[in-house]
Amino acid sequence: PPLLALLCLGARGAEGAAAPSAEPDEPWCPYKVGADGAEGPRLCFRPPARGFQCAARGCRSHRSAGGALVANVLRNGSVLLQWGLRHWGPPSPANAAAAAAALRGFALNCSWDGTYTRFPCDSVELGAACRDYLLPEAHGSVRYRLCLRPRYAPPRPAPPAQCVEFRVEPAAMRDIVVAMTAVGGSICVMLVFICLLVAYITENLMSPAVAR
């Protein structure tokens, strides 16, 4: 029996060595949004949107002055924010490694212009693994301003925030324009049909009566 047990363990070890090791999944993005009443902010998680590219037909990109923050405004009214770290510091490998080790997360502040004043949006705290964030619903015809700042462990100072401004096209206005275009086309087709019918009646029915 001891020899049989050793043989079984050796076979299982050989199977485990022959099987390919599963690659670790990409880290999820932890974030906290504002203060939700008396309960305070809640910790949430979202999967990263790796490899997203803004298509010309259904998306418009707006980049910050420093180039680190990009706002991709989609046609459905949502906004996908993307950012990187290379625009915030020197590109040397030593500094990049030190910055990655000291990085603690990101702080995102949002505001939008009203009629007389500027109103705050969500204030979001994101983890160090986050490189994008989704605003699911944005008001149409409103100018937004979003500022992102990395957070480092002391004594490393925090770099200045990078901000991006954009305006979301109202979805209702797009629907109205499409509906008016469809109705206008239908009316034009009906008018052409009526004109042809009047011309046919005038040519074939009225002319014999006038002749008699």
Side-chain angles (χ1 to χ4, degrees):
L3 181 59
L4 183 59
L6 289 175
L7 290 175
C8 291
L9 290 175
R12 290 182 180 178
E15 290 177 359
S21 59
E23 296 182 358
D25 295 334
E26 294 185 354
W28 285 60
C29 171
Y31 66 95
K32 293 188 296 184
V33 181
D36 189 8
E39 298 179 358
R42 294 181 299 175
L43 181 63
C44 303
F45 295 87
R46 63 178 302 270
R50 305 293 187 187
F52 174 82
Q53 294 183 354
C54 188
R57 289 186 175 182
C59 177
R60 295 181 61 184
S61 294
H62 305 269
R63 187 176 294 272
S64 61
L69 182 62
V70 179
N72 301 299
V73 182
L74 306 178
R75 295 185 63 182
N76 59 0
S78 60
V79 181
L80 178 64
L81 303 174
Q82 294 177 309
W83 62 86
L85 289 175
R86 61 187 181 90
H87 295 278
W88 263 295
S92 62
N95 291 336
L103 182 63
R104 294 296 179 266
F106 301 90
L108 176 66
N109 293 317
C110 171
S111 60
W112 57 277
D113 286 330
T115 306
Y116 302 103
T117 185
R118 182 181 292 271
F119 296 92
C121 308
D122 293 335
S123 178
V124 188
E125 297 180 7
L126 301 112
C130 301
R131 294 297 183 271
D132 53 59
Y133 180 72
L134 180 66
L135 298 175
E137 294 181 359
H139 299 284
S141 300
V142 173
R143 188 165 189 83
Y144 281 85
R145 177 179 175 85
L146 291 95
C147 297
L148 184 72
R149 181 195 301 269
R151 302 171 61 184
Y152 290 99
R156 184 181 180 88
Q162 294 206 20
C163 302
V164 61
E165 295 187 2
F166 58 89
R167 188 182 300 273
V168 179
E169 182 182 356
M173 184 60 66
R174 292 197 304 267
D175 297 339
I176 291 175
V177 170
V178 172
M180 291 181 63
T181 303
V183 172
S186 301
I187 292 175
C188 291
V189 172
M190 292 178 62
L191 290 176
V192 171
F193 179 75
I194 292 173
C195 291
L196 292 175
L197 182 62
V198 170
Y200 175 80
I201 294 175
T202 304
E203 182 69 21
N204 295 278
L205 300 181
M206 298 297 294
S207 296
V210 172
R212 286 197 300 271

